[in-house]
């Protein structure tokens, strides 16, 4: 029987690539999404991956959503915390709402998803918790104090969680993508995109599939001794 993997923000961009890669690796995959029904329906029709809608910023919704996934596919043994948002602004103009929205999804959302699954992982003595952080959580970025703080917090989360899970067969690791050729990045004006690429020693954007392959490895039995680690996928832009 295949293991069940749950990917938050799993129907678009990097999340979609992760969902597809895990399915191809033999996992039963559930893809969570927050609100774009049309994109989720299209993704499910194209891939055969079941989708489930709820906001990771809402703890009770996470509990209910996880229960629905487990009823449909079985106990979740691999959790990929990928869902994230941006609300960029220079700090002197950043509103309290912009701060709270980003922290609520990108950091508290990781707690909201992992916490309900933790007892089952401990009881089964197996689990994989993978958090998609960001290069900007490692080095910071102008106009992203909220985002950088949330993504840096994700790194602390996995490092501490790894210490608690190691003795019961659970790993917790982070993947920090650099600039990836998602729809959002490709929609940036060409001149700005060229300036971004100029900062990447590899001379190109990464692909969602390159990030997804890292996640698939960390979810596998081959990665059982990798715990509390941060895997940087950024073309040498930041040696973190």
């Amino acid at each position: 029987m295949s293991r069940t993997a749950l990917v938050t923000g799993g129907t678009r961009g990097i999340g979609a690539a992760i969902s597809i890669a895990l399915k191809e690796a033999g996992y039963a995959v559930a893809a969570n999404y927050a609100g774009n029904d049309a994109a989720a329906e299209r993704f499910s029709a194209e891939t055969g991956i079941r989708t489930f809608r709820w906001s990771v910023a809402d703890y009770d919704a996470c509990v209910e959503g996880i229960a629905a996934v487990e009823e449909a596919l079985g106990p979740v043994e691999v959790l990929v915390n990928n869902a994230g948002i941006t609300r960029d602004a220079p700090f002197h103009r950043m509103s309290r709402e912009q701060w709270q929205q980003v922290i609520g999804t990108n950091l508290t959302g990781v707690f909201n998803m992992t916490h309900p699954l933790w007892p089952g992982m401990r009881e089964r003595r197996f689990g994989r918790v993978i958090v998609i952080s960001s290069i900007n959580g490692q080095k910071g970025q102008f106009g992203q104090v909220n985002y950088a703080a949330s993504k840096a917090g994700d790194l602390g989360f996995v490092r501490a969680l790894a210490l608690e899970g190691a003795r019961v067969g659970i790993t917790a690791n982070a993947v920090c993508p650099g600039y990836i050729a998602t729809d959002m990045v490709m929609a940036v004006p060409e001149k700005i995109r060229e300036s971004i690429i100029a900062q990447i020693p590899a001379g190109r954007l990464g692909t969602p599939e390159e990030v997804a392959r890292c996640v698939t490895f960390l979810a596998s039995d081959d990665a059982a001794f990798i715990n509390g680690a941060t895997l940087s996928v950024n073309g040498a832009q930041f040696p973190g």
Side-chain angles (χ1 to χ4, degrees):
M1 184 177 179
S2 63
R3 287 175 174 153
T4 297
L6 171 55
V7 183
T8 66
T11 64
R12 294 190 293 165
I14 291 172
I18 293 169
S19 296
I20 292 168
L22 288 170
K23 182 186 178 185
E24 291 176 347
Y27 294 86
V29 179
N32 151 269
Y33 71 102
N36 193 327
D37 291 324
E41 290 171 7
R42 183 167 57 252
F43 174 79
S44 188
E46 292 173 352
T47 64
I49 294 172
R50 296 190 61 168
T51 60
F52 299 79
R53 178 178 177 174
W54 72 84
S55 169
V56 300
D58 183 332
Y59 185 91
D60 292 335
C62 291
V63 172
E64 293 175 6
I66 289 168
V69 169
E70 294 194 323
E71 182 178 359
L73 299 176
V76 173
E77 296 179 288
V78 176
L79 171 64
V80 183
N81 285 301
N82 168 73
I85 63 171
T86 57
R87 298 290 185 268
D88 296 351
F91 188 64
H92 66 282
R93 296 179 182 172
M94 185 174 291
S95 69
R96 186 164 62 177
E97 289 73 21
Q98 287 173 312
W99 172 268
Q100 292 172 337
Q101 287 171 359
V102 170
I103 297 297
T105 295
N106 298 3
L107 181 55
T108 304
V110 172
F111 170 85
N112 291 346
M113 287 299 304
T114 309
H115 191 255
L117 288 168
W118 194 248
M121 290 182 175
R122 284 173 51 83
E123 183 178 343
R124 291 186 297 273
R125 301 186 69 83
F126 179 87
R128 296 284 187 268
V129 178
I130 302 164
V131 181
I132 307 303
S133 180
S134 169
I135 186 175
N136 292 340
Q138 296 173 298
K139 70 176 186 62
Q141 178 66 300
F142 181 90
Q144 287 196 329
V145 168
N146 50 3
Y147 184 81
S150 70
K151 292 300 185 177
D154 290 340
L155 300 182
F157 179 92
V158 298
R159 289 167 185 160
L161 194 67
L163 299 176
E164 298 192 24
R167 290 185 180 274
V168 287
I170 305 171
T171 66
N173 294 291
V175 177
C176 282
Y179 287 93
I180 307 298
T182 60
D183 290 343
M184 181 176 67
V185 172
M186 298 308 292
V188 169
E190 186 175 355
K191 286 187 178 180
I192 296 177
R193 195 162 66 247
E194 288 175 354
S195 70
I196 292 171
I197 293 172
Q199 301 173 43
I200 304 172
R204 66 174 178 87
L205 300 171
T207 69
E209 290 74 21
E210 287 174 315
V211 179
R213 286 193 288 272
C214 296
V215 172
T216 302
F217 171 66
L218 290 174
S220 72
D221 291 340
D222 290 338
F225 204 57
I226 300 173
N227 209 352
T230 300
L231 182 57
S232 296
V233 189
N234 61 38
Q237 185 178 358
F238 184 81

